């Protein structure tokens, strides 16, 4: 069996950290808990990410990067149903491939702004607004529909993770698309 690459190890650590941060918050998640989850020593994990804050920043940056990659796929499309479908499809693929990142996104949407995870909310919210091509704060109805769509995709993917089939991203995207009212 080939050894994992540095990138694969970092991806595994960031995914596990995202899941734990979403579930327990940043303050309540220890470096030791993350190391135990991925099967590495605390020292080995700290060699890759020198502090818990560095790991937290890397997780948020990765999540934002993935949302912005999705936004890049639709940069030429005007805001509307076609763009929404592409964004939701990209986020549904993310939900299936990296459920920890989607759990973090969902928990940041639900967090109080002053909570330890709440600061991630504004950064992630801005990236989502860019992806959907909207100023979500300007249209409350649209913001509610986008939030409902994201919640539907995230909750369905997390609740049914053991039952997801290869067509799951397309089905999850359709659930989100329906929530948008298209």
């Amino acid at each position: 069996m080939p050894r994992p690459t540095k990138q694969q190890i970092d991806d595994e650590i960031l995914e596990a950290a995202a899941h734990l941060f979403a579930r327990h918050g940043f303050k309540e998640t220890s470096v030791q808990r993350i190391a135990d989850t991925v099967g590495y020593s605390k020292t080995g994990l700290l060699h890759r990410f020198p502090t818990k804050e560095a790991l937290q920043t890397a997780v948020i940056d990765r999540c934002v990067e993935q949302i912005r990659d999705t936004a890049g796929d639709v940069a030429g499309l005007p805001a509307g149903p076609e763009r929404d479908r592409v964004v939701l499809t990209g986020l549904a693929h993310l939900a299936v491939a990296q459920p920890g990142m989607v759990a973090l996104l969902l928990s940041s949407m639900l967090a109080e702004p002053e909570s330890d995870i709440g600061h991630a909310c504004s950064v992630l919210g801005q990236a989502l607004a860019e992806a959907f091509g909207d100023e979500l704060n300007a249209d409350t109805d649209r913001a509610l529909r986008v939030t409902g769509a994201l919640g539907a995709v995230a909750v369905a993917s997390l609740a049914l993770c053991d039952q997801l089939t290869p067509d799951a991203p397309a089905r999850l995207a359709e659930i989100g698309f329906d929530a948008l009212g298209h």
Side-chain angles (χ1 to χ4, degrees), residues 54-78:
L55 184 55
Q56 175 183 338
T57 299
V59 167
I60 293 169
D61 288 350
R62 173 68 59 88
C63 194
V64 168
E65 173 188 328
Q66 290 170 326
I67 294 168
R68 287 195 173 135
D69 285 349
T70 299
D73 294 341
V74 296
L77 296 175

Side-chain angles (χ1 to χ4, degrees), residues 30-124:
S30 68
V31 172
Q32 186 64 59
R33 179 182 263 176
I34 296 166
D36 290 345
T37 299
V38 293
Y40 295 111
S41 68
K42 181 177 176 181
T43 303
L45 192 141
L46 289 171
H47 178 72
R48 293 178 137 19
F49 300 95
T51 64
K52 184 167 98 170
E53 291 74 22
L55 184 55
Q56 175 183 338
T57 299
V59 167
I60 293 169
D61 288 350
R62 173 68 59 88
C63 194
V64 168
E65 173 188 328
Q66 290 170 326
I67 294 168
R68 287 195 173 135
D69 285 349
T70 299
D73 294 341
V74 296
L77 296 175
E82 184 180 353
R83 183 179 183 126
D84 289 347
R85 185 179 300 279
V86 174
V87 170
L88 286 168
T89 300
L91 293 174
H93 280 282
L94 177 63
V96 171
Q98 297 181 356
M101 291 292 176
V102 172
L104 180 65
L105 176 61
L106 181 61
S107 66
S108 72
M109 289 169 53
L110 300 172
E112 296 292 327
E114 60 277 350
S115 72
D116 68 338
I117 202 167
H119 81 280
C121 185
S122 64
V123 175
L124 294 170

Side-chain angles (χ1 to χ4, degrees), residues 18-39:
H19 177 77
L20 292 169
F21 289 151
R23 182 173 214 155
H24 304 289
F26 292 123
K27 289 180 186 171
E28 297 300 319
T29 302
S30 68
V31 172
Q32 186 64 59
R33 179 182 263 176
I34 296 166
D36 290 345
T37 299
V38 293

